[in-house]
Amino acid sequence: MSPFAIGRLLGPPPLFRGLFRWSLAVLFAFGAWHLYLWSPMPGLVAIGVTPVIAIFLFFRGLNLVARTAPYWKTRSLVRRLGLSPTWWDTGAGYLLMDETRGLWIVNGTGGNIVDIRRLHGRSDWQGHRLEIHMNDERKPAAFYGFGSAEDLRDAAERFGRAYAGHTGKTLDMTFEDLRAEEDAEEKNASKRC
């Protein structure tokens, strides 16, 4: 896969976007102070709003800067393996799968689909996470977050179909939905009150 195609697939490097967000926070604070010097009342309003905007831009920029290392690891692994992804998701990181060759990459960690021992999906009110276990240890080799439980199940089914296509066996998949348990506990707590 050419470097241009990898760049189109993964998007622009997140480091530059994160640094841009940080510079916007600085510029907004600088602008609010100068607005106060020119016109005190609107300047006070801008200074009052500045911390909220600056904190938002700082943490959003920090999230993007933190994604830089997985971005470059994924990019170099795609080139090294010669991966031609047939399916990918770049919402909460970088998940790439080449179903024909039986390869996968998650945030710079990769392997063969046939080496996966089990998949474990975990859903709660904060997120939906797919864990890829390469051996019988409790700690996953890689994990990836999704925006919804349906997306998590679709990705697990895609891994299962690719695994079955290469081995002829079914992949061990478990799903844990903590949302139902949390809802039941909340209803029990409200009944007690």
Side-chain angles (χ1 to χ4, degrees):
M1 186 172 232
S2 72
F4 179 71
I6 295 170
R8 275 190 35 214
L9 179 70
L10 297 178
L15 175 66
F16 303 122
R17 294 184 305 169
L19 294 176
F20 178 72
R21 297 251 165 81
W22 286 350
S23 65
L24 280 179
V26 171
L27 285 174
F28 193 82
F30 187 74
W33 175 251
H34 280 284
L35 181 62
Y36 173 72
L37 293 177
W38 293 325
S39 179
M41 286 308 281
L44 283 176
V45 171
I47 287 173
V49 174
T50 296
V52 174
I53 293 172
I55 288 171
F56 171 77
L57 289 171
F58 172 77
F59 283 109
R60 185 66 185 125
L62 184 63
N63 181 5
L64 289 167
V65 169
R67 289 178 66 173
T68 300
Y71 174 86
W72 287 109
K73 286 180 183 178
T74 302
R75 190 177 173 108
S76 67
L77 195 56
V78 166
R79 291 177 96 187
R80 194 167 6 127
L81 294 175
L83 189 77
S84 297
T86 56
W87 182 78
W88 61 88
D89 187 291
T90 57
Y94 308 99
L95 169 63
L96 308 166
M97 188 187 324
D98 186 347
E99 296 162 309
T100 56
R101 289 185 51 208
L103 299 171
W104 61 271
I105 298 175
V106 174
N107 293 328
T109 303
N112 290 320
I113 290 176
V114 297
D115 294 336
I116 297 174
R117 295 291 170 250
R118 70 182 175 95
L119 296 175
H120 180 72
R122 182 184 311 250
S123 292
D124 59 20
W125 290 110
Q126 295 179 359
H128 312 279
R129 176 173 147 158
L130 179 65
E131 298 174 351
I132 300 170
H133 294 268
M134 300 298 281
N135 50 31
D136 294 330
E137 290 182 16
R138 189 165 179 83
K139 185 179 175 188
F143 59 88
Y144 186 81
F146 290 94
S148 69
E150 293 78 26
D151 292 343
L152 182 142
R153 287 192 183 272
D154 289 343
E157 288 172 6
R158 195 173 272 280
F159 268 101
R161 284 193 303 268
Y163 183 84
H166 286 280
T167 63
K169 301 176 190 174
T170 59
L171 182 61
D172 183 25
M173 291 187 253
T174 57
F175 294 97
E176 181 179 13
D177 193 352
L178 300 176
R179 297 175 299 169
E181 294 173 13
E182 291 171 3
D183 285 343
E185 289 175 10
E186 189 176 303
K187 286 180 184 177
N188 288 339
S190 64
K191 287 181 183 177
R192 287 185 223 142
C193 292

